[in-house]
């Protein structure tokens, strides 16, 4: 394994891209800064709640990725972590919550599986957001070696969220979307911070040489475990409390501003 001077972790939504300002892929300035980081001996890691498939537009601009809020880690094509949800636990969720007017997505790194009753929804969803239908498949096509790293639960009744969090508080970690009624579900204790600590240890990187950029509550854990946490211009209160510094928004090229200020590029 190649030796690195340090590691810089980048959240995706609200950090590398920004739906508020309609920035759908990393800006040319950000890409240039990533390349400078690599030239200067730093490992660049994309760190997201999404799966690899949903990072398709930008994942190749980084040397590695932590996905599904910490369930999966890959560096230069080598898999360091692949934490999966046991089938029996997954079926328990389906049995109890599918009848409650929800839509359950079962996510691997390459494809999202859905239950047969939801086929029409996902076909409409793909058309609405211009997403490739190959990203989705009915559950019957899932193979046993296709690991489920994360569940996504879309709901209408807020009580569904309350009930789910209470019922599975000892086994699942839940991260709610800021604006929409859905939650990302991973196994208890699986966070971006946990995955980062593991990777730092395996690569033998000093904590002081690690940095993280983020904006939302699911970035708090990674901010806490790195040497320097950088909050984007628009960020949650929780991120603001743990960040070492604040930079500009994606539109304001906040990533490049901070990297220059920190002397990394």
């Amino acid at each position: 394994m190649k030796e690195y001077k340090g590691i810089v972790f980048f959240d995706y939504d609200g950090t590398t891209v920004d739906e508020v300002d309609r920035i759908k892929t990393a800006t040319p300035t950000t890409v240039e800064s990533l390349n400078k980081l690599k030239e200067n001996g730093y490992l660049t890691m994309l760190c997201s709640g999404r799966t690899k498939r949903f990072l398709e537009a930008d994942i190749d601009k980084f040397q590695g990725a932590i996905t599904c809020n910490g369930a999966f880690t890959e560096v230069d094509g080598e898999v360091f972590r692949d934490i999966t949800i046991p089938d029996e636990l997954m079926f328990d969720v389906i049995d109890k919550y599918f009848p409650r007017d929800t839509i359950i997505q079962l996510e691997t790194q390459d494809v999202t599986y859905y239950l047969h009753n939801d086929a029409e929804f996902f076909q409409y969803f793909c058309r609405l957001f211009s997403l490739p239908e190959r990203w989705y498949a009915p559950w019957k096509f899932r193979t046993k070696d296709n690991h489920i790293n994360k569940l996504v639960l879309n709901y209408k009744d807020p009580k569904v969220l309350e009930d789910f969090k209470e019922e599975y508080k000892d086994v699942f970690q839940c991260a709610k979307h800021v604006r929409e009624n859905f939650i990302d579900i991973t196994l208890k204790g699986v966070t971006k911070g946990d995955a980062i600590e593991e990777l730092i240890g395996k690569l033998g990187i000093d904590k002081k040489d690690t940095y993280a950029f983020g904006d939302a509550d699911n970035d708090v854990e990674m901010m806490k475990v790195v040497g320097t946490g950088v909050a984007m211009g628009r960020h949650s209160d929780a991120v603001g409390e743990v960040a070492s510094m604040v930079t500009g928004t994606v539109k304001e090229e906040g990533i490049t501003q901070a990297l220059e200020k920190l002397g990394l590029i």
Side-chain angles (χ1 to χ4, degrees):
M1 173 62 71
K2 181 180 176 182
E3 292 188 4
Y4 300 97
K5 188 185 295 184
I7 312 178
V8 189
F9 300 91
F10 300 89
D11 172 49
Y12 195 57
D13 296 284
T15 301
T16 307
V17 299
D18 194 339
E19 66 178 32
V20 174
D21 288 322
R22 298 181 181 180
I23 299 172
K24 297 181 179 180
T25 187
T27 69
T29 299
T30 294
V31 174
E32 184 180 352
S33 296
L34 291 173
N35 290 334
K36 286 180 181 177
L37 273 176
K38 296 171 194 173
E39 291 168 7
N40 291 342
Y42 288 89
L43 174 62
T44 58
M45 293 289 295
L46 196 53
C47 202
S48 174
R50 299 188 187 207
T51 63
K52 284 173 61 177
R53 178 62 63 217
F54 281 88
L55 295 167
E56 202 172 75
D58 284 305
I59 196 168
D60 289 343
K61 296 163 186 169
F62 298 79
Q63 291 150 292
I66 291 173
T67 66
C68 294
N69 288 323
F72 184 88
T73 303
E74 187 175 73
V75 180
D76 288 329
E78 181 180 349
V79 175
F80 280 71
R81 163 181 276 213
D82 186 8
I83 297 175
T84 63
I85 297 173
D87 280 5
E88 59 271 22
L89 187 53
M90 183 171 57
F91 293 139
D92 187 64
V93 171
I94 292 170
D95 288 343
K96 291 175 180 174
Y97 283 86
F98 182 68
R100 296 186 63 177
D101 198 18
T102 65
I103 291 172
I104 301 172
Q105 301 176 50
L106 309 118
E107 301 205 331
T108 73
Q109 292 304 305
D110 296 313
V111 64
T112 295
Y113 292 103
Y114 56 82
L115 305 177
H116 66 282
N117 289 31
D118 295 326
E120 190 174 330
F121 168 84
F122 283 102
Q123 289 166 0
Y124 167 76
F125 187 77
C126 288
R127 290 196 301 271
L128 183 64
F129 294 103
S130 300
L131 300 177
E133 287 197 23
R134 62 183 168 81
W135 287 8
Y136 296 91
W139 176 252
K140 65 181 179 180
F141 291 120
R142 182 246 187 169
T143 57
K144 196 69 177 175
D145 61 345
N146 227 331
H147 299 166
I148 306 298
N149 297 114
K150 184 182 77 168
L151 305 179
V152 177
L153 181 68
N154 296 65
Y155 58 92
K156 294 178 181 177
D157 182 355
K159 194 169 187 314
V160 168
L161 174 59
E162 296 171 18
D163 291 347
F164 186 92
K165 290 174 75 173
E166 177 59 29
E167 181 169 2
Y168 292 103
K169 62 185 178 183
D170 295 327
V171 289
F172 281 131
Q173 188 105 1
C174 300
K176 185 186 179 302
H177 189 275
V178 178
R179 287 171 292 276
E180 305 296 333
N181 280 351
F182 71 81
I183 50 173
D184 285 346
I185 302 164
T186 51
L187 290 178
K188 188 79 174 178
V190 175
T191 68
K192 292 181 181 181
D194 169 59
I196 287 172
E197 279 193 303
E198 180 183 69
L199 182 63
I200 289 172
K202 285 183 176 178
L203 296 183
I205 303 293
D206 195 310
K207 180 178 176 179
K208 68 178 176 58
D209 297 319
T210 60
Y211 308 80
F213 287 75
D215 70 306
D217 287 1
N218 69 339
D219 299 321
V220 169
E221 288 85 0
M222 77 171 182
M223 294 280 191
K224 288 180 177 178
V225 301
V226 297
T228 303
V230 183
M232 298 301 290
R234 276 190 295 268
H235 59 266
S236 71
D237 292 341
V239 166
E241 289 172 6
V242 298
S244 305
M245 63 183 287
V246 177
T247 189
T249 63
V250 178
K251 187 176 182 179
E252 295 165 342
E253 301 294 353
I255 286 176
T256 298
Q257 285 179 22
L259 290 175
E260 290 176 345
K261 193 171 183 177
L262 291 165
L264 300 182
I265 61 173

